[in-house]
Amino acid sequence: MRIENKYKITEVGVIPEDWEVKELGEFCTKVGSGITPTGGEKVYKPEGRPFLRSQNIGWGKLLLEDIAFIDDITHEKFNSTEIEKDDVFLNITGASIGRSSIADDRVVAGNVNQHVCIIRTKKSLLMPLFLNYFLLSFNGQKQIESYQSGGNRQGLNFGQIRSFKILLPPTINEQVAIATAISDIDELIQTLEKLIDKKRVIKQGAMQELLTGKKRVNEFGLKAGKYKKTEIGIVPEDWHVYQIGDLIKFLGGSQPDRTYFISTRKEGYIRLIQIRDYKTDKYKTYIPISLARRFCSKEDIMIGRYGPPIFQILSGLDGAYNVALIKAIPSEKLNKIYAYYYLKQEKLFDFIEKLSQRSSGQTGVDLKELRSYPLLLPPTIEEQKAIASILSDMDAEITALENKLEKYKKIKQGMMQNLLTGKIRLI
């Protein structure tokens, strides 16, 4: 293998000649985890000392929505695992193994349980943020995976963590420059994620107002006071209350014999659409056209019959659909896009989900109950279209932001691969 000048071959690959490969343990003052208090969740408090579990450690960020707390008396029993600012957290067991993040002011003076390892660095030699990004990088994750022995219980021990081979630039200043550059793109990603979440909340609010007539599209609005009382509440006096089954027909799919399934399309075959296909295009299934019984197009409204989660409202694929999907066919009185958003309301999802959980024998969408659910409809197709257009525009904006987010994430991955291996130098 030919190596350009100023680079060298190492056990972890080609790196700049002034970089070093060192064991992580050389640069740490602490590598260890905590324990779960006796009594488990029973000793958790509504406030007090933060107590981090594996679910609180994300991919580069803390996830504190469901954080637990312990009191000072319990904390004193575990003071050797008290969190300090800039401690690096690494999940060492279970399905979330390898997730890493850094301690900030929100969790300082708290504790971790046995599934989370605290790595405390000698900061003059190893910048915590640099280490965090390294653990999340390809080289870091590859080493974590190499220690997994398979089976049901994955885990890392402290000796293995100390033996991680870390690629280090010659100065702490270069570590800082690398970590800062990656952190900057991280901030862009987090800002965009917050904006997307905000836009989704706004859209949900708009759906609640527009699909119930609480807010009318300007050209269709009525004067104040023009409302009526119905079995589902106060609605505009010119709106109509139907049952969903009055205006939407539901067609369940069919399940061909699996012995005819193939993974590569050939003449005489058609794609079999399954729920998973709406989430990933990685796996495709094809069946003989002669076995296809139900067909869907990209414009059709499809419903996930089973779950979790059940009642996923889907669209965007062509083919024959299987038994786990239902096609919703609106009548001429009902605009298809309006119907799509009406079916996507959170309150309708909650209603269907509760029905599916009411007995052990109930495993999917109850079509009888769905058909009898109220459908609130504006008096004209034009108003339906106007409402659908507003919600479609909101979705388009969210999709554009999501695409931008994916682009930033790919940029970050490229930066991590190049900066953390010295392929691109900042100093």
Side-chain angles (χ1 to χ4, degrees), residues 316-363:
L317 293 175
D318 294 316
Y321 60 97
N322 77 349
V323 70
L325 291 164
I326 304 166
K327 181 161 70 173
I329 307 172
S331 74
E332 294 180 356
K333 292 182 178 180
L334 183 58
N335 175 264
K336 182 184 287 187
I337 302 175
Y338 181 94
Y340 171 79
Y341 284 111
Y342 199 90
L343 291 170
K344 287 195 75 169
Q345 292 181 92
E346 287 187 358
K347 63 180 181 180
L348 178 52
F349 172 82
D350 291 341
F351 172 75
I352 296 298
E353 186 178 41
K354 287 176 183 177
L355 287 175
S356 73
Q357 297 171 352
R358 64 185 177 185
S359 70
S360 58
Q362 189 80 21
T363 57

Side-chain angles (χ1 to χ4, degrees), residues 39 98 241 259 287 309 317 320:
V241 180
T259 58
I287 60 170
L317 293 175

